[in-house]
């Protein structure tokens, strides 16, 4: 076969992302960031594109799809498929939220056959992203921030970036509160905007939930040169306070304490005393022993104490502690072990 033969579209573009190397789907946070600063891709793996649940067509000609798939594999895709981002589609059609899973980034508007053919051919789908029917970029950001099922995917920094874009567009934080329909208030907006005044490393720690928002918000109101030192000081205080608190007892240790606490106390097990007619206290058990002598029972406590303990076996150690120590001693032993770890 000639080495200079015409190469197929699959050979020219390489292996499809749909065959094992597909990137992870973009979350709502990624779509919002794209809507603020990013440009839409020219092609995507077809698995990232959902079919339009409102599409009236339900039957597809399999013979035509097979032919289209062969043609797209050999020649390439001539016409792009028009899609909307999942965020924009759900803003325009909230009733279809359950029909468009989160793993899809886009919803096809025009090009259902091309989408199915690309899946069959194992090639990426060339797309044109058109979110205009859902409104402007600012409409999408407002919808994402006002809807809980979108906002839960965002980090505080991403929320701050979206808020800042809306404030720049609408002119004031008060106007953004009105646009968002009361989903957030002035305090929430000012807190998020303060986060953008922090150095990048601190912002990343906030996004990673390492630094609490309360500390980060206060740091954002300080002069730039004091922010990092303030955060480090507060985090050190937080760690010291956490170290002072007793660690909760869990697992086997908690079960051991519960078992000891559930056992009857020595006072409850002791024989009761009553007053005889002469006013002297007498033991009921002693009176019983005077009437009927009890058989002599050899104590085995000394035998148990002589049994060697294998300190490498946790169950054996726990059994010895429970047998020989009172409840308060068991609790002190457990707490001492936790503090030593």
């Amino acid at each position: 076969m000639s080495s200079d033969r015409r190469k197929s579209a699959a050979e020219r573009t390489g292996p499809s992302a749909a065959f094992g190397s597909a990137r992870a789907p973009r979350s709502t946070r990624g779509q919002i960031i794209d809507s603020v600063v990013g440009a839409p891709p020219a092609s995507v793996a077809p698995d990232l594109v959902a079919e339009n649940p409102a599409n009236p067509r339900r039957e597809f000609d399999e013979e035509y799809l097979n032919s289209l798939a062969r043609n797209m594999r050999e020649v390439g895709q001539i016409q792009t498929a028009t899609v909307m981002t999942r965020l924009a589609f759900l803003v325009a059609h909230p009733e279809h939220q359950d029909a468009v899973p989160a793993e899809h980034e886009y919803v096809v508007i025009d090009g259902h056959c091309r989408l199915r053919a690309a899946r069959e051919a194992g090639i990426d789908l060339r797309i044109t992203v058109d979110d205009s029917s859902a409104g402007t970029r600012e409409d999408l950001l407002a919808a994402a921030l006002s809807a809980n099922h979108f906002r839960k995917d965002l980090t505080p920094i991403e929320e701050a970036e979206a808020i800042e874009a809306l404030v720049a567009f609408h002119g004031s934080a008060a106007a953004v509160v009105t646009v968002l329909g009361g989903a957030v208030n002035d305090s929430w907006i000012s807190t998020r905007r303060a986060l953008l005044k922090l150095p990048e490393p601190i912002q990343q720690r906030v996004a990673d939930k390492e630094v609490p928002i309360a500390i980060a918000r206060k740091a954002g109101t300080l002069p730039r040169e004091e922010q990092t030192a303030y955060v480090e000081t507060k985090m050190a205080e937080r760690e010291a306070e956490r170290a002072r608190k007793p660690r909760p007892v869990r697992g086997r240790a908690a079960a051991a304490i519960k078992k000891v606490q559930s056992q009857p106390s020595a006072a409850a097990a002791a024989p009761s005393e009553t007053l005889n007619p002469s006013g002297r206290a007498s033991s009921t058990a002693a009176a019983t022993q005077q009437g009927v002598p009890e058989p002599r029972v050899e104590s085995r406590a000394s035998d148990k104490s002589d049994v060697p303990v294998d300190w490498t076996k946790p169950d054996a150690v726990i059994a010895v502690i429970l047998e020989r120590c009172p409840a308060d001693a068991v609790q002190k032993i457990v707490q001492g072990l936790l503090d030593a770890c």
Side-chain angles (χ1 to χ4, degrees), residues 80-126:
T80 62
T82 302
V83 301
M84 293 179 69
T85 61
R86 177 179 179 270
L87 172 61
F89 182 82
L90 294 182
V91 168
H93 306 282
E95 69 276 11
H96 293 313
Q97 179 181 346
D98 295 335
V100 184
E103 60 265 23
H104 293 109
E105 295 183 22
Y106 304 95
V107 179
V108 65
I109 304 300
D110 177 30
H112 288 79
C113 289
R114 276 160 279 170
L115 172 60
R116 293 196 173 201
R119 290 173 179 167
E120 182 176 338
I123 62 174
D124 285 350
L125 179 71
R126 294 178 57 234

Side-chain angles (χ1 to χ4, degrees), residues 297-309 320 323-324:
V297 179
E298 295 183 359
S299 174
R300 289 176 292 179
S302 58
D303 295 337
K304 289 184 178 180
S305 62
D306 294 337
V307 176
V309 179
V320 171
E323 178 184 342
R324 303 181 184 178

